[in-house]
């Protein structure tokens, strides 16, 4: 279906130099699955079910053994293509530091608000 193709499209966005081993590939796969499917789940029971499924299949599908907190907890797995400001080539890569990512988002929002008269008042949060 279209949804599963979105997972593969996301995986294919990564340059092979950014994937150093099976853990990196596992993180990428889990991120893309979360982005496409988990983000749609609105109630805690469904989110818990999804988390349990991911924890169960990650070893078989990606040969990884991440702890639940490493995927769904304080330091979630997030891939973006805007970590390096002003770079000629934008790489889709893991954002390992949430405070750095938050700073980049805040800076980009401020730059937009200074540049355009139609101001955006956004609040970035982790769900």
């Amino acid at each position: 279906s279209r949804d599963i193709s979105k997972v593969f499209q996301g995986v294919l966005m990564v340059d092979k130099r950014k994937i150093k081993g099976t853990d990196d590939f596992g993180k990428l796969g889990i991120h893309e699955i979360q982005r496409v499917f988990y983000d749609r789940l609105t109630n805690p029971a469904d989110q818990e079910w999804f988390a349990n499924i991911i924890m169960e299949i990650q070893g078989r599908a990606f040969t990884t053994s991440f702890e639940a907190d490493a995927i769904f907890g304080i330091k979630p797995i997030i891939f973006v293509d805007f970590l390096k400001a002003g770079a000629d080539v934008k790489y889709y890569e893991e954002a390992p530091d949430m405070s750095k990512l938050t700073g980049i988002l805040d800076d980009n929002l401020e730059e937009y608000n200074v540049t355009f008269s139609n101001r955006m008042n956004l609040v970035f949060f982790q769900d």
Side-chain angles (χ1 to χ4, degrees), residues 21-105:
T22 56
D23 278 0
D24 289 343
F25 185 72
K27 287 179 181 180
L28 173 63
I30 291 168
H31 165 77
E32 293 304 324
I33 292 167
Q34 283 182 296
R35 184 181 62 78
V36 173
F37 297 108
Y38 182 80
D39 288 351
R40 296 180 185 173
L41 304 175
T42 58
N43 71 48
D46 289 346
Q47 292 171 342
E48 184 178 345
W49 171 84
F50 183 90
N52 290 334
I53 294 293
I54 289 295
M55 296 307 296
E56 179 184 323
I57 67 168
Q58 69 167 322
R60 288 182 296 181
F62 303 115
T63 64
T64 58
S65 57
F66 299 115
E67 296 292 325
D69 279 349
I71 299 172
F72 300 99
I74 297 168
K75 189 180 172 201
I77 299 170
I78 296 179
F79 280 72
V80 298
D81 67 353
F82 53 85
L83 280 181
K84 311 273 188 306
D88 291 335
V89 177
K90 294 187 182 270
Y91 290 108
Y92 192 55
E93 59 190 321
E94 183 180 9
D97 184 354
M98 287 305 295
S99 62
K100 179 179 178 182
L101 181 58
T102 302
I104 291 169
L105 290 170

